[in-house]
Amino acid sequence: MAKSELFIFKTNSLSNDQYLLKLNRTDSCLEVYSKVSNSKLNEYYSIRPDFDSSEYTMFEKADSMPCLFGGEKSPTPYGVFQVEKVSDSEYVSGYRPGYDAVKFFGYIVIFEDYFIHSDMYEESVEDYRNASSISTNDTFTSGCIRISQKSLDKLLSLIPVGTTVIL
């Protein structure tokens, strides 16, 4: 099995995070990293035996979810953010061209009006399992990160408020 990616941070506010999210714009996926023991460092890099890694926090890639993100006219921002809100409730948005309002089921707020969410449905939809998405053929978003409902449900069970997100 090939080694996955490792992120190393100087210990600070990230030291309490169990997860890290990263938008991989090249591969169009949202990557999930989980905190790992500092002993992982030696699996990736040649480090001198007396190196003290206690001042560092390690995250190793645990999952990768295909996603869409903002296009040229409405890009997804670049930066390092913390998750502001996590909700499994439905959300009604007015950002869909051609619709007064649309709905998605569950979301993670990463910066102001920039969310991680699933496909969008007409506002009248009560249950996405019995409805057709209106966003299936999209090639970009209005700036949010869009993943499958299954992937979103997984994130909603893992990611707490305060988790670091690299966009």
Side-chain angles (χ1 to χ4, degrees):
M1 181 174 185
K3 290 182 184 177
S4 58
E5 296 178 27
L6 183 72
F7 270 89
I8 304 167
F9 291 92
K10 187 78 168 175
T11 299
N12 56 22
S13 61
L14 288 177
S15 62
N16 292 325
D17 286 1
Q18 290 302 308
Y19 295 96
L20 169 74
L21 299 176
K22 178 184 171 286
L23 175 59
N24 181 329
R25 294 169 192 258
T26 304
D27 294 339
S28 296
C29 61
L30 182 64
E31 299 172 337
V32 181
Y33 290 78
S34 62
K35 189 174 183 179
V36 293
S37 163
N38 287 12
S39 64
K40 282 280 185 181
L41 185 63
N42 294 324
E43 293 178 24
Y44 285 84
Y45 304 106
S46 299
I47 303 292
R48 67 179 192 275
D50 64 337
F51 177 74
D52 179 10
S53 66
S54 65
E55 294 183 26
Y56 296 86
T57 302
M58 314 292 165
F59 292 88
E60 186 174 41
K61 187 162 56 171
D63 201 354
S64 182
M65 305 166 174
C67 73
L68 293 178
F69 51 92
E72 187 176 310
K73 292 182 181 179
S74 186
T76 300
Y78 285 85
V80 178
F81 304 92
Q82 270 71 41
V83 169
E84 295 178 11
K85 183 176 181 179
V86 176
S87 176
D88 61 0
S89 300
E90 59 187 45
Y91 185 88
V92 176
S93 172
Y95 284 110
R96 179 77 180 185
Y99 292 84
D100 290 333
V102 296
K103 183 186 287 185
F104 45 85
F105 296 87
Y107 58 94
I108 298 171
V109 179
I110 49 178
F111 170 67
E112 188 60 27
D113 275 346
Y114 293 91
F115 293 18
I116 298 171
H117 64 81
S118 64
D119 283 328
M120 294 183 289
Y121 300 86
E122 291 187 29
E123 184 182 17
S124 61
V125 170
E126 296 294 324
D127 183 349
Y128 66 86
R129 291 173 287 238
N130 299 322
S132 295
S133 163
I134 60 171
S135 58
T136 304
N137 295 320
D138 289 353
T139 57
F140 58 88
T141 70
S142 294
C144 289
I145 298 169
R146 192 175 321 141
I147 57 179
S148 72
Q149 188 69 48
K150 181 179 177 182
S151 293
L152 179 65
D153 290 344
K154 182 176 182 178
L155 284 185
L156 292 174
S157 70
L158 289 177
I159 303 301
V161 169
T163 298
T164 299
V165 182
I166 301 172
L167 300 179

